[in-house]
Amino acid sequence: MHDNDPILFEQRGAVALLTLNRPATRNALDGEAMYAAFEQLFERLNTDMSLRVAVLTGAGSAFCSGGDVAKMRDREGMFAGSPQQIAENYRNGIQRIPRAFARLQLPIIAAVNGPAIGAGNDLACMCDIRIASSAARFAESFVKVGIVPGDGGCWLLPRVVGASKAAEMALTGDAIDAQEALRIGLVSKVVAPELLLEEALALAGRVAANAPQALRWTKQLLLQARTGTLDEALDAAGRFQGLAHHTADHAEAVAAFFEKRPPRFGQG
C-alpha cells in the first residue's frame, strides 16, 4: 500500500479502514486505477477472515465529488466517443464500483466527512450504514449537468430514502445538508467533524464484536432482500441458519450467554 494509491487500506484489528485518496479531485470516481482499486480491495476483504467490517471515508475536505466535470467538458475518459461508446465506457468503468459492492461480503460503513455529490452520493448509498460529519452535504446532482445517474443511483437511492424523496433529490439535483440527510434517513447519525472517524470506528467495533461468518451471511441476506421475494428470503435465511447452527462461533456465543461473559470468537 502506497501513499499515492487511489484508496488507502489500513487494518485496525478486525476493521478495514478504506480512505479515498484523490483529494486534488475531491476524490472523484474516475480512472482505471480507482475502479480496479475497489475490485481488488474488496476481493481482499472477502478472503481475509480476520476482517469483520469496513469503514469507507475520504481524504481531504470531500467524501467524494462524483464524476470529473472537467473531463465531461473535454469529452475525455469515460465521457469520450459516441453514445454507444460512452455506454460501454460506463459499463467497463464506473459501473464496476456498484458491482464490486454487490459482491462485497463484509458490512461496510460510510463515514461521510464532507460533500458527497452525484456519484459520491451514490457511493455512500452503496454502503450498508452511513454516518456523517456535520460538514457533509449530499446531492443527486446529475440533472444539474444535464446527465442521468449512470452508476445506478436511481436503483440505490430509493432503497435508502424511499421513492418520493429519491425522486425529489434526483429530479431537482438540489443539495441537502447533514441534518436533512439525518431527517430523511440517508444517514443514521451526524457528529462533529473531529469526531467522525472515532464514531465510525466505534460503530465498526460494535459490529466486529459479533461472529464473523454470521456477519457475512447477514450482509448477504440484506443484499438479497433488496430484490428477492419473501419466499426467496426465507429459503436463503433457512440455508444460512442451518450452517450457522453448526459453527463454533454459535456454540461459543451460546456458552458465553449462559456464562454471562463476552464471547471469544474465532473463524468458525
Side-chain angles (χ1 to χ4, degrees):
M1 193 61 58
H2 304 288
D3 288 344
N4 61 350
D5 287 343
I7 306 175
L8 301 179
F9 169 90
E10 179 185 349
Q11 183 166 354
R12 299 193 180 188
V15 180
L17 176 59
L18 310 179
T19 305
L20 299 172
N21 189 37
R22 289 288 183 262
T25 63
R26 296 168 63 79
N27 300 318
L29 297 179
D30 181 71
E32 173 62 26
M34 180 68 79
Y35 312 141
F38 274 103
E39 293 171 329
Q40 292 162 10
L41 276 172
F42 284 6
E43 181 60 28
R44 177 177 180 177
L45 302 188
N46 284 345
T47 56
D48 186 345
M49 288 300 294
S50 72
L51 296 169
R52 301 184 190 178
V53 60
V55 172
L56 177 66
T57 193
S61 61
F63 175 70
C64 177
S65 62
D68 189 327
V69 180
K71 288 188 176 180
M72 293 182 197
R73 177 196 63 201
D74 299 334
R75 295 183 178 271
E76 293 179 350
M78 67 177 174
F79 313 116
S82 67
Q84 294 79 9
Q85 182 59 53
I86 290 173
E88 192 68 17
N89 294 344
Y90 270 76
R91 190 175 301 112
N92 295 323
I94 196 170
Q95 290 180 356
R96 288 159 56 188
I97 297 176
R99 289 192 171 100
F101 271 87
R103 296 190 298 271
L104 179 62
Q105 296 174 18
L106 258 66
I108 184 165
I109 300 164
V112 184
N113 54 296
I117 306 301
N121 185 70
D122 296 338
L123 181 68
C125 290
M126 294 174 206
C127 297
D128 301 303
I129 304 169
R130 289 155 293 282
I131 67 172
S133 156
S134 56
R137 59 189 178 90
F138 301 82
E140 192 75 357
S141 55
F142 299 89
V143 292
K144 294 288 192 184
V145 288
I147 58 175
V148 302
D151 60 342
C154 288
W155 190 93
L156 292 158
L157 188 57
R159 286 167 167 79
V160 177
V161 300
S164 179
K165 195 64 187 182
E168 181 181 333
M169 291 182 68
L171 295 173
T172 65
D174 291 346
I176 61 173
D177 63 18
Q179 287 300 325
E180 175 68 2
L182 178 64
R183 189 188 71 80
I184 67 173
L186 180 53
V187 302
S188 55
K189 192 172 189 179
V190 175
V191 300
E194 64 273 15
L195 297 178
L196 177 65
L197 195 55
E198 176 185 333
E199 289 280 346
L201 291 171
L203 174 58
R206 299 205 308 276
V207 173
N210 296 301
Q213 188 59 68
L215 289 172
R216 291 171 182 242
W217 285 332
T218 301
K219 162 77 178 258
Q220 288 185 50
L221 290 172
L222 288 167
L223 287 177
Q224 185 272 343
R226 290 181 171 188
T227 56
T229 65
L230 175 60
D231 281 341
E232 289 166 342
L234 293 171
D235 286 344
R239 289 194 301 273
F240 286 137
Q241 198 73 305
L243 295 170
H245 276 284
H246 282 267
T247 61
D249 282 342
H250 170 61
E252 165 62 14
V254 172
F257 174 84
F258 284 107
E259 294 167 15
K260 296 181 171 55
R261 60 169 175 82
R264 296 181 292 272
F265 292 124
Q267 297 183 14

